[in-house]
Amino acid sequence: MSRRFIAAACQLGSISRSESRASVVARMIALLRQAKERGASLAVFPEMALTTFFPRWLIADEEELDSFYEKEMPSNETAPLFEEARRLGLGFYLGYAELFRDAAGRKRRFNTSVLVDRAGRIVGKYRKVHLPGHAEYEPERPWQHLEKRYFEVGDLGFPVWRTMGGVMGMCLCNDRRWPETWRVMGMKGVELVMLGYNTPTANSVAAHEGAHVRMLHNHLSMQAGAYQNATWAIGTAKGGLEEGVDMMAGSCIVAPTGEIVALATTVGDEVIAADVDLERGRYIKETVFNFAKHRRIEHYGIITGQTAATPPPD
Ligand code: CDT
């Protein structure tokens, strides 16, 4: 299978609370077709791509809460997306809220993404590890970020998959800010990391943090993660004014050199594409980030041994 192909980020504009899955899926199919016209064979959709970003609300009614989760993938509502991607010969990454009952009958909820190959088969699943926000309602916030309430911490680690010509990895939104996310996949030889995000343009608990700085952090995280692990990265946003909250767009495709090679210019539904050569990171993996040669694991134990930082006493 070719190690060089065109990949697309399929950014979505805002999704209202009342928008149906059918309507969102129709928008996504339109984006897939545009990606195909651009020559793409891989498309990356946002985190929780099928609904509005519901963790911004405290939702007390369980039936209503459950309505934001997918109980199967594909489902009747998402099957047309899978069918169209297969017809077009496009693999894709899709983020969604996952709900299932385990063997003990307990409801399990994860913030999940799947990787679908060009034949329409799900070849990989990832469940978000770094859940941002809080678990209890916080009245001082202009909007909530209740991911810690609505999801369990992912239980699948950071797997990679050899598929579609390369070593593919996934993560979700806040994961991109953590170097550990990238390095664990880097240690598995990842060549392309796909991720979707839902990020407000304002910091709800630190109003002084400007939108430009937040966009800088968005790109900085992906560019550093890509370069330091010599991998491609595709980050796809859900942007625009969604239920009164302005969501950052800025979807991008980052080369293993850390350079942004494609960047969204709108905050709405938009396809960006780039020529992805999976060989491009090889010289970095063999030189400056030749892990076998240069990593000094005898000094890294603290990274997995503790969570909080412990500065020396005054
Ligand atoms: N969805 C997601 O992970 N968003 C976060 C916003 C953090 S604000 C509590 C992000 O890191 O972009």
Side-chain angles (χ1 to χ4, degrees):
M1 201 172 281
S2 175
R3 288 179 48 74
R4 185 169 177 178
F5 50 84
I6 296 178
C10 292
Q11 176 175 286
L12 283 166
S14 64
I15 299 175
S16 71
R17 190 167 180 156
S18 60
E19 186 167 350
S20 68
R21 297 282 199 294
S23 164
V24 177
V25 166
R27 286 167 61 186
M28 294 169 82
I29 287 174
L31 291 172
L32 274 185
R33 291 178 182 155
Q34 286 178 45
K36 180 69 182 177
E37 278 166 22
R38 305 271 294 269
S41 56
L42 180 65
V44 178
F45 289 110
E47 175 191 45
M48 274 186 247
L50 298 163
T51 65
T52 199
F53 188 74
F54 65 89
R56 70 169 64 93
W57 297 296
L58 178 65
I59 301 170
D61 182 80
E62 187 155 328
E63 196 179 331
E64 187 184 0
L65 177 65
D66 288 358
S67 73
F68 290 104
Y69 293 75
E70 309 308 308
K71 288 90 191 172
E72 50 184 348
M73 187 57 66
S75 60
N76 286 344
E77 288 148 318
T78 51
L81 181 71
F82 281 68
E83 280 155 24
E84 186 64 2
R86 185 170 49 82
R87 192 184 72 78
L88 297 170
L90 273 158
F92 67 94
Y93 161 110
L94 171 68
Y96 62 98
E98 177 190 12
L99 171 61
F100 65 95
R101 279 190 191 274
D102 65 17
R106 203 161 55 99
K107 275 187 181 172
R108 309 290 302 273
R109 302 172 189 274
F110 293 97
N111 188 343
T112 296
S113 60
V114 285
L115 180 59
V116 180
D117 71 10
R118 292 167 188 144
R121 288 180 301 246
I122 293 177
V123 292
K125 177 181 274 195
Y126 169 72
R127 291 178 174 146
K128 187 173 182 177
V129 167
H130 299 102
L131 297 173
H134 47 109
E136 301 304 326
Y137 181 77
E138 294 184 357
E140 67 279 11
R141 288 177 182 257
W143 59 84
Q144 303 296 299
H145 197 108
L146 288 160
E147 283 195 61
K148 286 192 193 295
R149 183 183 191 90
Y150 295 146
F151 301 110
E152 293 177 50
V153 172
D155 58 353
L156 302 174
F158 295 100
V160 299
W161 298 269
R162 190 173 281 286
T163 182
M164 293 182 269
V167 181
M168 309 293 183
M170 296 191 271
C171 66
L172 280 156
C173 197
N174 190 262
D175 287 322
R176 74 194 185 288
R177 303 185 192 273
W178 298 88
E180 294 86 349
T181 300
W182 299 89
R183 183 48 51 94
V184 171
M185 288 189 272
M187 292 302 297
K188 300 175 183 180
V190 77
E191 294 175 314
L192 171 55
V193 173
M194 288 159 258
L195 68 98
Y197 60 94
N198 278 276
T199 303
T201 59
N203 185 331
S204 66
V205 289
H208 63 274
E209 192 177 75
H212 65 293
V213 177
R214 289 176 61 77
M215 184 62 88
L216 169 70
H217 295 163
N218 175 40
H219 289 149
L220 185 66
S221 302
M222 290 188 271
Q223 290 178 263
Y227 167 59
Q228 291 170 348
N229 296 280
T231 177
W232 287 88
I234 303 178
T236 306
K238 172 126 65 65
L241 190 63
E242 187 174 273
E243 297 291 355
V245 180
D246 192 37
M247 304 297 284
M248 179 188 295
S251 300
C252 62
I253 301 179
V254 184
T257 52
E259 296 161 284
I260 292 178
V261 296
L263 179 62
T265 57
T266 74
V267 298
D269 292 9
E270 180 181 349
V271 174
I272 59 167
D275 180 3
V276 168
D277 180 357
L278 295 176
E279 285 298 308
R280 183 119 166 242
R282 183 181 293 278
Y283 83 95
I284 301 175
K285 282 187 165 84
E286 288 175 352
T287 56
V288 66
F289 292 124
N290 181 331
F291 290 170
K293 203 168 170 185
H294 303 305
R295 292 185 78 244
R296 299 268 44 119
I297 57 174
E298 67 273 30
H299 296 297
Y300 303 159
I302 196 169
I303 289 174
T304 54
Q306 65 185 58
T307 51
T310 50
D314 284 336

